[in-house]
Amino acid sequence: MSLTVSASRRQLSDLGPLEQLRAGRLARRLPQLVIGLVLYGVSLAMMVRGALGLAPWDVFHSGFIRHVPVTLGQAVVLFSFVVLLLWIPLREVPGLGTIMNAFLVGLSADATLALLAEPEGWAPRIALLVVGVVGNGLATALYMGAQFGRGPRDGLMTGLARRTGLSLRLVRTGLEVTVVVLGLLLGGALGLGTVLYALAIGPLAQAMLPWCTVELPDRL
């Protein structure tokens, strides 16, 4: 399967792990992958410190850590691997980016939370939220555009859509509603930022993806 990127001749290619490494341009793609994943964790932490609401999966993570002695980043890593177990019956194949995603996002989120204090006043909190959402959109475009595979949660979405025949939008909505409800039951942080994220992240990532997608040789 090859997903065409609008407004660009470049494409997101669905490559296996070895093909991803053999595709070339590693000097560009590997740093872009790492930067995207680290930025994803940083943007997550910015939304946490803004305290105006988190992304749907992070509502769940924030609720989980209220009952288990782990950090938010550790919860992100833990559930990345739980989700990867769900890939097995869906026959999704992880790539290098999938595994790095599982580790780097959580680690960079915890590092940023250790350095960034929660500000006082509405203006800096709103700024953290907005920059966090925009940064998350850019981070998504960077790591996806590096062509090293989907993240654990993205792969769960695409795998379920392929197996059930339902649309990606419907599967994504169902997953995000489920994790938000579970997060709320656990005492997670829901707010206006959650709504902003849900509305903005798709258009932001789609707008930035053509600029971030690394063109691969035609032979692939």
Side-chain angles (χ1 to χ4, degrees):
M1 180 180 67
S2 180
L3 302 176
T4 301
V5 179
S6 61
S8 175
R9 293 180 181 177
R10 299 173 180 179
Q11 293 180 332
L12 288 181
S13 302
D14 194 5
L15 305 176
L18 292 179
E19 291 175 309
Q20 291 168 4
L21 292 173
R22 293 169 179 166
R25 305 196 67 182
L26 296 181
R28 158 76 187 275
R29 293 167 58 219
L30 280 172
Q32 179 175 316
L33 172 66
V34 173
I35 290 170
L37 295 176
V38 170
L39 178 58
Y40 200 103
V42 171
S43 63
L44 187 165
M46 293 178 75
M47 292 182 66
V48 171
R49 289 297 185 236
L52 293 173
L54 300 175
W57 277 95
D58 296 322
V59 174
F60 172 68
H61 298 143
S62 66
F64 177 77
I65 65 174
R66 293 172 64 92
H67 305 276
V68 179
V70 297
T71 66
L72 181 65
Q74 289 167 350
V76 171
V77 173
L78 171 63
F79 282 101
S80 292
F81 283 98
V82 170
V83 169
L84 282 175
L85 291 177
L86 300 177
W87 281 35
I88 297 174
L90 297 174
R91 297 183 181 177
E92 289 286 296
V93 180
L96 176 63
T98 309
I99 305 302
M100 291 180 66
N101 184 303
F103 284 107
L104 284 183
V105 171
L107 293 175
S108 59
D110 272 352
T112 305
L113 288 171
L115 297 172
L116 185 63
E118 183 173 325
E120 296 182 2
W122 283 98
R125 291 170 61 191
I126 292 173
L128 280 175
L129 170 63
V130 172
V131 174
V133 171
V134 174
N136 197 272
L138 175 58
T140 300
L142 284 170
Y143 87 74
M144 289 183 63
Q147 308 259 34
F148 280 109
R150 295 177 288 273
R153 294 155 186 80
D154 296 327
L156 176 63
M157 175 184 66
T158 57
L160 284 172
R162 190 181 70 253
R163 286 291 174 177
T164 62
L166 300 174
S167 69
L168 281 173
R169 179 176 297 182
L170 183 59
V171 172
R172 175 176 176 171
T173 300
L175 284 173
E176 293 187 347
V177 168
T178 299
V179 294
V180 165
V181 170
L182 290 173
L184 288 176
L185 292 174
L186 293 171
L190 177 71
L192 292 177
T194 308
V195 177
L196 175 64
Y197 183 94
L199 293 175
I201 194 62
L204 283 171
Q206 183 175 354
M208 297 174 183
L209 192 55
W211 301 318
C212 298
T213 300
V214 181
E215 188 174 7
L216 299 180
D218 292 339
R219 62 186 175 84
L220 294 172

